Amino acid sequence: MNSILIIDDESAIRNVLGDILRDEGYQIYAASDGLEGLGFLRRHPIDVVFLDVWLPGKGGIDVLVEIKANWPEIEVIIISGHATVETAVKAIKLGAYDYLEKPLDLGRVVTLARNSIQLEILKRENAALRKDKFLEDKMIGNTEGMQKIREVIAQSAPSDSRVMILGENGTGKELVARMIHSKSNRSSCPFVEVNCAAIPENLIESELFGHEKGSFTNAVARRRGKFELADGGTLFFDEVADMTLEAQAKMLRAIQEMTFERVGGEEKLHVDVRIISATNRDISREIEAGKFREDLYFRLNVIPLSVPPLRDRQEDLPVLIDYFHEKLRNDNDIPTLKFTDEAMKLLMEYSWPGNIRELKNFIERVTILVDESEVTEEMARYYLGERKAKSSKTSLYHEYEGMKLSEAKEFFEKQMVERSLKENGFNIAKTAQSMGIYPSNLYGKIRKYRIEIRK
Ligand SMILES: Nc1ncnc2c1ncn2[C@@H]1O[C@H](COP(=O)(O)OP(=O)(O)OP(=O)(O)O)[C@@H](O)[C@H]1O
Ligand SMILES: [Mg+2]
């Protein structure tokens, strides 16, 4: 049964409200002043509070602020006399759900109670989901690299410092961001993610800052942006290096001042958010190439955190394998997973280009699809996916192991130019033609890689 607390010094109001709401099937409690009400909330779970704004002793507004600070999910409906409508409006800005004027309109009392309880339930469910999502994956691994990350998370979480998380695909950047949030004192407020790579250019402002109704063709209703949604909590800019320069400029302004307007709005909004960002790109290269603003980088990168690729912490493989497998087993009668020594060796030598995400998918596939008691090297190779299994064996891949894509490309390019030059007797025109590029372009590469021309 949902429960409602009425805080009002007038016994007549307490009784009338109590009777109506009891008839609607709610469990009703009452308190005659703010302190008594707050004391009650400390001991009992309550869904909705009806709060008189004009209370003796501790005033209604102060009580509201305290409720919202301690139990943000509880919805508060303000009861106000005509003279205090202004106060009621202020209360809504402070997080009250709505207000009732005296004399009480009984129909409205019932609707407000019903709607606010629905909202309250939604909020609790969301909070639970958020928690689940976080609990979904613990951070596994004991290698030095992982311990270092845990340390930085523990040190940086309680502060409001901005953290920039770097790392390849699937290394766990988002997991790290969520852990920082959950260990911070913002953990009861939202963790809001912005996937910077996925927002269309023309919608970025509306996405970040929200918009007013009618501000553009599709703005049928007022919408709150990610900054507003994250108020009090953490805003996670994922794939931050994928933003256009124009979007970067807008973001820079917003995070410098923490103030912005909704699209089509005049009101200046101020929020309190902690910013975490992540990218799998080589950000210093992006800056050099003029694709990422250096000033924005300095704003975001107060505490840098690099998540190492799985191939640099292979000792963590066995614990990770056990962990992902156990998660799938829970109470099903799935047998324990055993790899032959050869299979394990293959996994340890594999370069895991998709990192932990790839490992997780691999373990899921093997757990679900393999019936045998042991996974052989052949089976492991098969489930790793033909292409990847092959490339892990060929020397070509090993040559590039540990390189960033850009480095690998240059490495390859230099080798190709050297080889073609040799094959064509160091004749520039011929070499350029065989490579399908202009001679001037070839000269550029020769200079760039300082290749010696032997005639
Ligand atoms: N150390 C870890 N222990 C257990 N699970 C992990 C660990 N690191 C990552 N994972 C899990 O692996 C998956 C991929 O992680 P996540 O999404 O955080 O990576 P990412 O770096 O953000 O990837 P992308 O670059 O593709 O966005 C998630 O399911 C995550 O929970
Ligand atoms: Mg991610």
Side-chain angles (χ1 to χ4, degrees):
M1 202 198 292
N2 295 114
S3 52
I4 296 179
L5 172 68
I6 303 165
I7 309 179
D8 200 312
D9 59 324
E10 278 178 70
S11 63
I13 299 275
R14 289 201 302 269
N15 293 339
V16 175
L17 265 181
D19 287 345
I20 308 168
L21 295 169
R22 211 171 285 116
D23 282 349
E24 290 294 308
Y26 303 114
Q27 177 78 46
I28 304 302
Y29 302 94
S32 57
D33 65 47
L35 286 180
E36 190 190 333
L38 288 170
F40 187 86
L41 287 174
R42 247 167 241 124
R43 284 170 281 118
H44 303 272
I46 288 287
D47 297 299
V48 168
V49 174
F50 280 78
L51 174 65
D52 187 3
V53 107
W54 197 248
L55 284 173
K58 197 176 180 78
I61 292 290
D62 292 339
V63 176
L64 169 68
V65 168
E66 215 161 301
I67 293 178
K68 283 288 155 186
N70 290 298
W71 305 279
E73 321 82 30
I74 295 182
E75 291 304 339
V76 179
I77 295 163
I78 298 291
I79 309 167
S80 80
H82 273 302
T84 50
V85 167
E86 236 168 72
T87 326
V89 171
K90 182 175 166 205
I92 287 185
K93 287 203 172 137
L94 290 170
Y97 178 78
D98 209 333
Y99 66 88
L100 280 167
E101 279 173 68
K102 291 181 197 170
L104 299 176
D105 168 344
L106 303 189
R108 203 169 130 74
V109 167
V110 173
T111 324
L112 276 185
R114 195 176 299 146
N115 294 350
S116 62
I117 282 192
Q118 257 165 17
L119 181 66
E120 193 265 356
I121 291 171
L122 258 180
K123 274 196 198 164
R124 275 193 210 274
E125 280 173 359
N126 269 343
L129 272 180
R130 269 204 307 271
K131 217 166 173 189
D132 274 4
K133 173 117 172 85
F134 164 66
L135 287 177
E136 199 182 277
D137 268 321
K138 285 189 280 184
M139 206 164 83
I140 303 296
N142 305 311
T143 41
E144 212 178 302
M146 288 315 284
Q147 277 168 16
K148 180 85 200 136
I149 289 193
R150 283 205 190 85
E151 251 168 58
V152 180
I153 291 176
Q155 284 163 355
S156 61
S159 75
D160 275 345
S161 316
R162 293 179 185 155
V163 182
M164 184 179 253
I165 306 167
L166 303 177
E168 293 175 16
N169 289 322
T171 43
K173 297 184 294 295
E174 183 173 340
L175 183 69
V176 168
R178 287 185 187 277
M179 291 196 71
I180 295 174
H181 173 74
S182 75
K183 286 182 190 294
S184 74
N185 33 31
R186 295 171 172 267
S187 61
S188 62
C189 290
F191 175 91
V192 174
E193 187 186 340
V194 183
N195 185 344
C196 302
I199 308 174
E201 174 69 40
N202 57 334
L203 289 183
I204 190 131
E205 278 190 286
S206 141
E207 189 73 21
L208 293 181
F209 310 130
H211 59 242
E212 296 294 342
K213 186 174 169 174
S215 55
F216 54 93
T217 323
N218 288 324
V220 285
R222 172 198 266 191
R223 178 152 176 262
R224 298 200 294 158
K226 301 276 188 183
F227 271 95
E228 260 183 274
L229 291 171
D231 198 11
T234 304
L235 193 49
F236 176 49
F237 287 102
D238 204 1
E239 322 281 3
V240 72
D242 291 40
M243 272 198 289
T244 60
L245 283 168
E246 206 181 306
Q248 290 172 34
K250 287 167 189 163
M251 179 170 159
L252 181 67
R253 212 202 90 197
I255 67 170
Q256 262 169 340
E257 299 163 15
M258 279 301 167
T259 309
F260 55 89
E261 293 114 49
R262 294 195 196 98
V263 176
E266 315 242 286
E267 189 189 353
K268 277 219 181 297
L269 301 170
H270 180 83
V271 291
D272 166 30
V273 296
R274 195 248 187 103
I275 291 177
I276 301 181
S277 54
T279 179
N280 53 22
R281 296 200 186 217
D282 181 340
I283 193 96
S284 32
R285 240 171 231 277
E286 299 291 312
I287 295 171
E288 264 168 46
K291 291 188 187 137
F292 199 82
R293 293 181 67 120
E294 194 168 31
D295 46 5
L296 180 58
Y297 172 72
F298 285 127
R299 295 263 166 195
L300 294 175
N301 188 41
V302 178
I303 298 181
L305 210 163
S306 285
V307 189
L310 188 51
R311 64 176 171 280
D312 289 353
R313 46 176 163 125
Q314 245 129 357
E315 299 86 340
D316 281 338
L317 259 174
V319 273
L320 280 163
I321 290 175
D322 282 349
Y323 169 72
F324 289 131
H325 179 65
E326 282 306 319
K327 267 181 48 149
L328 289 171
R329 282 181 76 205
N330 42 45
D331 47 13
N332 305 334
D333 49 354
I334 294 173
T336 47
L337 189 62
K338 266 184 81 182
F339 290 97
T340 62
D341 290 350
E342 293 78 28
M344 203 57 206
K345 185 160 175 279
L346 173 80
L347 299 183
M348 295 293 275
E349 281 168 5
Y350 181 56
S351 63
W352 299 105
N355 291 295
I356 308 231
R357 178 172 299 114
E358 184 182 9
L359 175 66
K360 191 177 169 183
N361 292 341
F362 168 74
I363 296 299
E364 280 175 8
R365 245 174 285 151
V366 171
T367 304
I368 291 160
L369 300 172
V370 175
D371 291 327
E372 275 77 6
S373 62
E374 261 191 335
V375 183
T376 64
E377 182 186 350
E378 264 319 291
M379 291 196 272
R381 196 185 299 285
Y382 177 78
Y383 286 110
L384 275 178
E386 303 280 6
R387 188 186 56 77
K388 284 169 183 164
K390 235 186 261 154
S391 60
S392 76
K393 272 191 89 188
T394 59
S395 59
L396 181 68
Y397 195 86
H398 276 293
E399 279 194 63
Y400 300 117
E401 206 169 280
M403 287 188 195
K404 303 257 160 47
L405 176 62
S406 48
E407 289 165 357
K409 274 186 186 159
E410 289 187 355
F411 184 71
F412 175 80
E413 196 175 58
K414 176 167 184 247
Q415 283 187 329
M416 184 168 172
V417 172
E418 278 173 343
R419 209 192 59 200
S420 307
L421 278 167
K422 233 181 266 171
E423 281 172 358
N424 292 291
F426 294 93
N427 179 314
I428 299 295
K430 264 199 200 163
T431 307
Q433 197 183 13
S434 81
M435 291 181 73
I437 57 178
Y438 290 110
S440 56
N441 196 345
L442 179 58
Y443 266 123
K445 294 189 193 305
I446 291 170
R447 238 175 293 129
K448 176 171 175 192
Y449 299 120
R450 305 209 168 117
I451 296 170
E452 201 187 326
I453 301 290
R454 281 169 273 153
K455 290 251 162 99

Short mmCIF file of all heavy atoms in Angstrom, two decimals, residues 170 172-175 193 236 238-239 278 357, ligand 2:
data_model
loop_
_atom_site.label_atom_id
_atom_site.label_comp_id
_atom_site.label_asym_id
_atom_site.label_seq_id
_atom_site.Cartn_x
_atom_site.Cartn_y
_atom_site.Cartn_z
N GLY A 170 36.05 -0.98 -25.95
CA GLY A 170 35.70 -2.11 -25.07
C GLY A 170 36.63 -2.35 -23.90
O GLY A 170 36.60 -3.40 -23.28
N GLY A 172 36.53 -0.72 -21.06
CA GLY A 172 35.83 -0.51 -19.80
C GLY A 172 35.74 0.96 -19.42
O GLY A 172 35.57 1.28 -18.24
N LYS A 173 35.79 1.86 -20.38
CA LYS A 173 35.76 3.29 -20.07
C LYS A 173 34.45 3.69 -19.40
O LYS A 173 34.44 4.42 -18.42
CB LYS A 173 35.96 4.13 -21.35
CG LYS A 173 37.33 3.90 -21.99
CD LYS A 173 37.54 4.82 -23.18
CE LYS A 173 36.61 4.51 -24.34
NZ LYS A 173 36.82 3.17 -24.93
N GLU A 174 33.35 3.18 -19.95
CA GLU A 174 32.06 3.55 -19.36
C GLU A 174 31.92 2.98 -17.96
O GLU A 174 31.41 3.64 -17.05
CB GLU A 174 30.91 3.04 -20.25
CG GLU A 174 29.58 3.48 -19.71
CD GLU A 174 28.42 3.15 -20.64
OE1 GLU A 174 28.64 2.93 -21.85
OE2 GLU A 174 27.30 3.13 -20.13
N LEU A 175 32.41 1.76 -17.78
CA LEU A 175 32.36 1.14 -16.46
C LEU A 175 33.11 2.02 -15.45
O LEU A 175 32.65 2.27 -14.34
CB LEU A 175 32.97 -0.26 -16.55
CG LEU A 175 32.94 -1.08 -15.28
CD1 LEU A 175 31.51 -1.48 -14.95
CD2 LEU A 175 33.80 -2.33 -15.43
N GLU A 193 24.31 10.02 -19.63
CA GLU A 193 25.31 9.78 -20.65
C GLU A 193 24.96 10.54 -21.92
O GLU A 193 23.80 10.60 -22.32
CB GLU A 193 25.32 8.28 -20.95
CG GLU A 193 26.41 7.89 -21.87
CD GLU A 193 26.31 6.42 -22.27
OE1 GLU A 193 25.64 5.64 -21.56
OE2 GLU A 193 26.88 6.09 -23.31
N PHE A 236 28.22 12.35 -18.41
CA PHE A 236 29.29 11.57 -19.04
C PHE A 236 29.29 11.80 -20.55
O PHE A 236 28.37 11.39 -21.24
CB PHE A 236 29.10 10.09 -18.71
CG PHE A 236 30.09 9.17 -19.38
CD1 PHE A 236 31.45 9.43 -19.36
CD2 PHE A 236 29.65 8.02 -20.02
CE1 PHE A 236 32.36 8.58 -19.98
CE2 PHE A 236 30.56 7.15 -20.65
CZ PHE A 236 31.91 7.44 -20.62
N ASP A 238 30.54 10.64 -23.72
CA ASP A 238 31.22 9.51 -24.32
C ASP A 238 31.60 9.87 -25.75
O ASP A 238 30.90 10.61 -26.41
CB ASP A 238 30.29 8.30 -24.28
CG ASP A 238 31.06 6.99 -24.33
OD1 ASP A 238 32.30 7.04 -24.38
OD2 ASP A 238 30.42 5.92 -24.32
N GLU A 239 32.71 9.32 -26.23
CA GLU A 239 33.21 9.59 -27.59
C GLU A 239 33.35 11.10 -27.80
O GLU A 239 32.95 11.63 -28.83
CB GLU A 239 32.25 9.04 -28.67
CG GLU A 239 31.60 7.71 -28.38
CD GLU A 239 32.53 6.53 -28.63
OE1 GLU A 239 33.70 6.78 -28.98
OE2 GLU A 239 32.08 5.40 -28.45
N ALA A 278 35.11 10.64 -22.17
CA ALA A 278 35.87 9.47 -22.61
C ALA A 278 36.03 9.49 -24.12
O ALA A 278 35.19 10.04 -24.83
CB ALA A 278 35.17 8.18 -22.19
N ARG A 357 35.02 -6.26 -23.99
CA ARG A 357 33.72 -6.55 -24.60
C ARG A 357 33.82 -7.79 -25.47
O ARG A 357 32.94 -8.64 -25.44
CB ARG A 357 33.22 -5.35 -25.42
CG ARG A 357 31.88 -5.69 -26.10
CD ARG A 357 31.20 -4.55 -26.77
NE ARG A 357 30.87 -3.48 -25.85
CZ ARG A 357 31.41 -2.30 -25.90
NH1 ARG A 357 32.30 -2.02 -26.83
NH2 ARG A 357 31.06 -1.38 -25.04
MG MG B 2 31.79 3.22 -24.14
#
